[in-house]
Amino acid sequence: MADTVLVLNSGSSSLKYQLMQPDTGISLASGLVERIGEETSTVTLKWGNEETSRDGRIADHEAALRTTFDLFAESGRHLDDLGLVAVGHRVVHGGQALYRPTIVDDAVVTTLKELAALAPLHNPPAVLGIEVARRVLPDLPHIAVFDTAFFHDLPSAAATYAMDRELAQRWDIRRYGFHGTSHQYVSQQAAQFLDAPIESLNQIVLHLGNGASASAIAGGRPVDTSMGFTPMEGLVMGTRSGDIDPGVLIYLWRTAGMSVEEIETMLNRHSGMYGLGGEIDFRVVHERIESGDEAAQLAYEVYIHRLRKYVGAYLAVLGHTDVVTFTAGVGENDARVRRDALTGLAPLGIELDEHLNDSPARGARRISADKSPTTVLVIPTNEELAIAQACLTVV
Ligand code: AMP
C-alpha cells in the first residue's frame, strides 16, 4: 500500500480532512466536520464516489476526529490498513522562526501557542487541531506545514514595511505572505504544464478563493506577494478588505468609537465582497449584477480594479512575465473575473482566447491566445497534496 498522509485543516468550529497519497497524488478520502460545539454538527465523508453524512452534536474537535474515524470504520475502512505514515497540519502563521515543514513536539506546540497573537483568528484553531490529533493518533509523526513558508525568503524590499525599524524588529513586524503552499504548488504545476524548467520562468499567480492573494515569482522564488503581516492585506476578498489606509482604522477607533475587536471583525468578516455587496459567492454576485443590483456591481468593480492593479504592479516588479495563472474557487471557475482582470492588456503582452477562457473544461489548461507573448493558465490548486508531499520530506 502506498504511503498515506492524513491532512488536517482545523478551523474554530470546523475540521477539514483529506487522506492523500503524496506519491501518486491520489486522494483516498476527504470530508469535513462542521459546526463543532453547536447544537447540530454535520460530519461528511467522501470516499471515491461514495458520500456519507451524519448530523448530531459533536462537542469538540477531539470528538470530531473520533467520529470521523468511526465513520471510516462503518464504511469498512480502518486506519491501520491505510498505510498512514504521518499527519500533516495546515498552520497559517509560522512567525519568523518556523517555516520549514516541522515535526511537532511539545516545544513546537509551545512556540505555536506563542505565535497566536500574530494570527489570532487562524493559529489557535490549528494548535487545537494539532493537540487533539496528537492525542488521538499518538504513534504517528505530526507535521506542521506553514502557509507563510514559501514567502520566508522574500527579498527585503518586498518583505519590509516602511515604518520605525526598531519597532518592527522588536515586534516581528514584516510582510510574511500567506497561501504559500498554493502559490508554490501552482507555480510548479505551471512549469510542468509548460514543460519548462521553473528556473526559466517569471510568473504571476492569482489565488482567488474566499481568501485571495497574488504573487510574483522569478525562477521559482517569490519576489512579492499581496498578503503581508496578516492575511488581510492585498486583494479584495470574500469578507476581508484587503488594502486599506491604516488611517481609516485610527479614525474608526478614535472618532467613531469602535473598539479594536469591532474593527478587527469589520475588516475580517464584514468587508470585501460581503461588506460592499452582501454576498461572497461570485455566482450570486453575477446574478445580482444582471438583475440591476448596484451594490453588487460596485463590489465587483472594486474587486476587479484591485486585481488589475496587482497584475500591473507585478508586471513591473518582474519586468516581464512568461505566465499568469489563475487558481482557487473564483480563479478556476469564473471566466468573467478572468476576462475582466486581463482585458485590454494586449499592449503589455497578455491576451486571452475568449473561447478557451469560456470553456467549461476543468483541470490545468491554457486560456491565452496563441499569439499572446504571456501564457495565461488555469491550474486547480491542491493544498492538501502539497502539504502531504511536504510531510514526506521530513518523515
Ligand atoms: P475557495 O476559497 O477556493 O474554496 O473559493 C470559494 C469561492 O469560489 C466561493 O465563495 C465562490 O465565490 C467561488 N466559486 C466557486 N465555484 C464557482 C463558480 N462555479 N463560479 C464562480 N465562482 C465560484
Side-chain angles (χ1 to χ4, degrees):
M1 162 133 252
D3 287 346
T4 306
V5 176
L6 172 65
V7 179
L8 293 179
N9 186 351
S10 178
S12 55
S13 65
S14 68
L15 185 70
K16 238 165 115 178
Y17 62 89
Q18 195 156 157
L19 279 172
M20 289 291 325
Q21 289 184 339
D23 290 334
T24 62
I26 292 172
S27 162
L28 295 176
S30 62
L32 176 68
V33 188
E34 293 171 279
R35 296 185 301 281
I36 297 170
E38 294 180 25
E39 219 149 273
T40 317
S41 320
T42 307
V43 193
T44 46
L45 164 65
K46 211 169 147 214
W47 205 295
N49 292 327
E50 277 170 50
E51 210 168 321
T52 328
S53 93
R54 176 182 297 168
D55 290 335
R57 187 173 146 68
I58 292 181
D60 54 27
H61 283 69
E62 180 160 344
L65 199 53
R66 291 194 190 277
T67 311
T68 299
F69 295 153
D70 289 347
L71 221 57
F72 283 10
E74 283 169 33
S75 69
R77 283 95 174 188
H78 293 276
L79 278 186
D80 295 345
D81 307 330
L82 295 173
L84 266 187
V85 293
V87 184
H89 297 267
R90 180 181 182 216
V91 182
V92 166
H93 215 309
Q96 299 269 38
L98 294 175
Y99 55 96
R100 295 196 177 87
T102 302
I103 297 183
V104 178
D105 55 19
D106 292 344
V108 170
V109 171
T110 306
T111 309
L112 288 174
K113 284 184 173 165
E114 286 163 5
L115 289 172
L118 286 177
L121 301 178
H122 296 102
N123 268 32
V127 175
L128 179 65
I130 289 173
E131 288 186 306
V132 160
R134 286 180 83 206
R135 271 202 300 278
V136 177
L137 300 166
D139 298 329
L140 286 171
H142 290 255
I143 292 126
V145 179
F146 298 96
D147 235 23
T148 42
F150 184 50
F151 299 117
H152 181 260
D153 294 323
L154 268 187
S156 1
T160 307
Y161 287 111
M163 61 177 284
D164 182 315
R165 206 170 161 199
E166 274 175 32
L167 194 67
Q169 277 169 355
R170 182 162 151 226
W171 292 96
D172 288 340
I173 296 172
R174 57 160 279 186
R175 303 191 63 258
Y176 288 95
F178 299 86
H179 289 152
T181 309
S182 177
H183 285 276
Q184 183 171 28
Y185 174 81
V186 166
S187 56
Q188 287 165 347
Q189 293 294 307
Q192 241 179 51
F193 184 91
L194 297 172
D195 203 12
I198 196 161
E199 295 75 18
S200 71
L201 295 175
N202 276 0
Q203 305 197 39
I204 294 176
V205 175
L206 303 170
H207 175 114
L208 310 177
N210 272 333
S213 58
S215 65
I217 300 170
R221 298 174 72 90
V223 292
D224 207 348
T225 191
S226 59
M227 285 176 167
F229 179 63
T230 73
M232 282 197 271
E233 192 179 338
L235 300 176
V236 176
M237 314 188 203
T239 62
R240 280 176 246 157
S241 64
D243 293 337
I244 189 166
D245 180 345
V248 172
L249 317 183
I250 298 165
Y251 179 78
L252 288 173
W253 176 74
R254 182 189 289 143
T255 308
M258 285 175 74
S259 67
V260 170
E261 288 72 26
E262 285 169 333
I263 295 171
E264 184 179 44
T265 303
M266 188 274 294
L267 288 177
N268 275 301
R269 301 199 198 285
H270 300 154
S271 296
M273 295 303 288
Y274 180 76
L276 287 173
E279 176 57 51
I280 63 168
D281 189 323
F282 274 75
R283 287 162 287 199
V284 182
V285 172
H286 292 305
E287 280 167 23
R288 290 206 181 156
I289 292 172
E290 271 148 35
S291 64
D293 182 331
E294 284 174 19
Q297 177 76 40
L298 177 64
Y300 185 71
E301 283 171 11
V302 174
Y303 182 94
I304 294 293
H305 179 77
R306 183 87 50 86
L307 188 53
R308 290 173 68 88
K309 243 165 65 166
Y310 270 91
V311 171
Y314 288 174
L315 278 171
V317 166
L318 290 166
H320 81 279
T321 188
D322 302 292
V323 51
V324 175
T325 306
F326 288 90
T327 192
V330 180
E332 289 166 32
N333 295 299
D334 197 321
R336 264 176 287 193
V337 165
R338 295 193 298 257
R339 182 198 63 203
D340 293 339
L342 299 183
T343 208
L345 297 189
L348 300 176
I350 301 178
E351 221 173 322
L352 282 189
D353 177 315
E354 288 282 331
H355 181 68
L356 292 176
N357 184 44
D358 286 339
S359 150
R362 308 194 79 77
R365 57 199 188 272
R366 181 177 62 82
I367 56 168
S368 48
D370 283 340
K371 61 178 185 232
S372 176
T374 298
T375 305
V376 184
L377 301 177
V378 176
I379 294 189
T381 192
N382 192 340
E383 289 170 279
E384 285 77 12
L385 174 59
I387 290 172
Q389 288 171 340
C391 289
L392 278 207
T393 63
V394 289
V395 293

